[in-house]
Amino acid sequence: MTQQCSVVGAGYVGLSTAAMLVEFGFDVQLIEIDEERVDLLNSGRLPIREPGLADAFARGRAQDRLRCVPPSRASLEPTLAFACVGTPMWHTGDADLSQLESVVDMFHTNTSRTIMVIKSTVPPSTNRMLSDRYPSLRFVSNPEFLRQGSAVRDTLNPDRVILGSNDAEAMATVRKIYQPLADQGIPIIETSPESAELIKYSANALLGIKVAFINEVADLCEAVGADVDDVAAGIGLDPRIGNQFLKAGPGFGGSCFPKDTAALVSSAKRLGSPVTIVDAAARANIRRRASLAHRVVNLVGRQYSDATVGVLGLTFKAGTDDLRESPAVDLTNELADHGVTVTAFDPAVETHPEGVDSRVRVAPDELSVAMGADAVVVATEWGQFSDLDWTKIAESMRGRIVVDYRNIVDRDKVVAAGLELHQVGKPPATPSDPG
Ligand code: UGA
């Protein structure tokens, strides 16, 4: 008989987990509180843009092994439930566990013995706290490491699977689910819930530190005339350092790094064991993101109210339509807030998005962004921005400034078009001095 399970939360983690469980042969009930999202999914459409997800969902639906329901229509029969709800940031930096608590509440009955697999990112000791509070349920911490833009691929081919539990039987049940991945040689680490929780936070914190570090090195490169991409390549070849997450840019964003670094800082402080290095990286990142607009206006050399800027990219990184905690949105809003006329274009954004200042005009293409602009700023590393027709762009612009916060544009082409290029951690390039 097909095994049944519930997945709660139809966000990036829940949708990818549901796709994985269908692939593993489960019958999946996807529980989602947002009824509009339920209807959308049941009509065969997806609320997010993720490669491979549409196919995986179509397969699940065709085999009648995937259905989406609101909590009011959910069956509590499956004794295996994956909690994949958000743990957003409180103003204090702490993780808000209220969504997770309502999920656990839903499955908590005196007799259930349901295994709750906690995939949501939670601070250390959360699983223990939940086990103490809900003795009828069994908890396994199973943090998720997927990246947006490659969520399905990462879920089906993770670097590792982490399982943390004090309940040997529950651990063995969940371990068995991941057997197809173990068979492919993917390491499965079985540990305590506290260690599993800390593995997740430490991984994100260390990656965030790497990004914040290389961004400060980029500033230093600008001060001494060095090139941060060369420095990153040079240090990244040392296998103890590794070449990933050493791309300098506008600062880290998205729904995970800013929230998880803040939550780790806050929990560690409360536990009397502060993580000062993570704290410093998070602060450096906030400062960096706050300085993006000022640098552009400074280069334009006009009064804010007299400046026109075109922004290329709004999402927090390429390959996703997610604008949460996006440095590109910070930049755009900060410019608009200071009276700058701003036009923005993003290939993943069609209509004026929530969270973007209403004074910002959202344009249909790159050229419209350049029209009359004193400066064009590349804020997200979409592949198409590395291959733009800079001659046409230069003809449309009023000014000569290009700021490339992602170091992806073709330096020679920008300069050949008579424009002045400012990248991150590199000497500027001007038409008379191609650098
Ligand atoms: C991140 C982690 O990479 C995932 O492993 C983790 O599962 C996920 O958070 C999460 O906790 O849910 P994601 O937020 O999708 O994934 O994005 P990343 O690709 O890690 O990028 C995070 C931020 O760092 C972005 O703003 C990106 O532009 C920035 N970044 C990344 C850089 O500025 N430079 C780099 O070299 C790499």
Side-chain angles (χ1 to χ4, degrees):
M1 207 181 82
T2 318
Q3 248 187 302
Q4 297 193 335
C5 70
S6 304
V7 173
V8 195
Y12 288 88
V13 175
L15 292 167
S16 309
T17 301
M20 174 192 77
L21 290 164
V22 167
E23 194 75 25
F24 290 173
F26 278 84
D27 211 333
V28 179
Q29 163 182 251
L30 179 55
I31 305 170
E32 165 60 45
I33 200 162
D34 177 345
E35 301 238 6
E36 258 178 52
R37 203 167 259 226
V38 171
D39 293 342
L40 194 76
L41 282 159
N42 285 332
S43 70
R45 283 170 299 153
L46 289 173
I48 55 168
R49 168 191 166 126
E50 271 301 328
L53 197 57
D55 288 350
F57 265 66
R59 273 198 301 280
R61 280 164 44 81
Q63 296 163 11
D64 204 19
R65 287 204 284 111
L66 181 60
R67 66 199 177 89
C68 192
V69 292
S72 56
R73 282 194 277 122
S75 154
L76 295 183
E77 217 165 278
T79 51
L80 184 63
F82 290 77
C84 305
V85 291
T87 50
M89 185 163 63
W90 282 114
H91 64 280
T92 55
D94 288 302
D96 171 2
L97 299 178
S98 55
Q99 291 180 48
L100 181 62
E101 283 165 353
S102 20
V103 170
V104 176
D105 250 344
M106 180 166 84
F107 284 92
H108 162 64
T109 62
N110 286 337
T111 53
S112 70
R113 303 296 290 148
T114 295
I115 298 176
M116 296 292 315
V117 184
I118 308 296
K119 289 195 86 68
S120 303
T121 300
V122 293
S125 298
T126 302
N127 277 268
R128 183 181 293 276
M129 176 272 284
L130 292 172
S131 308
D132 290 347
R133 204 189 292 170
Y134 301 94
S136 74
L137 296 169
R138 296 178 296 165
F139 290 89
V140 177
S141 167
N142 174 212
E144 179 54 59
F145 299 96
L146 66 80
R147 290 158 304 169
Q148 289 180 217
S150 54
V152 176
R153 197 177 64 222
D154 289 349
T155 307
L156 288 169
N157 305 285
D159 299 318
R160 74 293 206 191
V161 172
I162 305 295
L163 302 176
S165 185
N166 293 322
D167 180 326
E169 204 184 271
M171 180 83 110
T173 305
V174 180
R175 169 73 178 69
K176 228 159 103 190
I177 296 170
Y178 283 105
Q179 193 54 41
L181 299 186
D183 291 343
Q184 291 170 42
I186 291 164
I188 300 196
I189 293 188
E190 295 181 39
T191 183
S192 66
E194 290 77 9
S195 302
E197 292 162 339
L198 265 184
I199 288 169
K200 171 67 188 183
Y201 268 134
S202 309
N204 274 4
L206 192 52
L207 292 170
I209 288 170
K210 261 185 125 174
V211 174
F213 171 77
I214 201 66
N215 283 338
E216 286 201 332
V217 171
D219 290 345
L220 198 52
C221 285
E222 285 174 30
V224 299
D227 184 322
V228 72
D229 285 342
D230 291 347
V231 174
I235 60 175
L237 282 170
D238 182 333
R240 292 170 302 175
I241 295 172
N243 61 9
Q244 296 193 48
F245 280 73
L246 285 180
K247 186 85 191 140
F252 61 73
S255 62
C256 305
F257 284 6
K259 156 180 92 73
D260 294 347
T261 46
L264 182 58
V265 167
S266 183
S267 311
K269 201 183 283 170
R270 207 166 337 94
L271 290 161
S273 183
V275 285
T276 55
I277 298 170
V278 184
D279 195 11
R283 285 173 198 272
N285 195 60
I286 290 169
R287 276 197 305 276
R288 184 168 194 84
R289 284 174 44 179
S291 71
L292 300 172
H294 180 70
R295 180 179 180 188
V296 173
V297 177
N298 229 12
L299 286 165
V300 165
R302 286 176 181 265
Q303 299 292 324
Y304 282 80
S305 57
D306 188 30
T308 300
V309 173
V311 178
L312 294 173
L314 284 170
T315 55
F316 83 93
K317 65 173 184 178
T320 178
D321 55 1
D322 198 338
L323 278 84
R324 285 176 290 176
E325 285 282 335
S326 170
V329 173
D330 285 0
L331 160 80
T332 307
N333 285 349
E334 181 86 10
L335 287 169
D337 212 33
H338 281 85
V340 174
T341 303
V342 193
T343 305
F345 163 69
D346 189 292
V349 172
E350 277 162 20
T351 50
H352 197 105
E354 209 182 302
V356 172
D357 194 298
S358 58
R359 289 163 289 190
V360 174
R361 190 174 77 86
V362 175
D365 53 44
E366 292 92 342
L367 266 188
S368 320
V369 152
M371 206 69 73
D374 298 301
V376 167
V377 185
V378 176
T380 308
E381 74 282 24
W382 288 104
Q384 68 201 69
F385 299 156
S386 60
D387 190 28
L388 294 171
D389 184 339
W390 286 103
T391 309
K392 266 200 185 146
I393 289 178
E395 281 164 15
S396 302
M397 288 174 68
R398 170 169 76 168
R400 301 288 87 191
I401 304 291
V402 176
V403 180
D404 175 13
Y405 275 130
R406 296 290 187 164
N407 288 357
I408 56 161
V409 306
D410 187 319
R411 217 169 154 86
D412 294 340
K413 283 190 187 159
V414 174
V415 172
L419 298 169
E420 184 181 312
L421 176 64
H422 297 265
Q423 292 182 296
V424 176
K426 290 175 189 282
T430 60
S432 54
D433 164 27

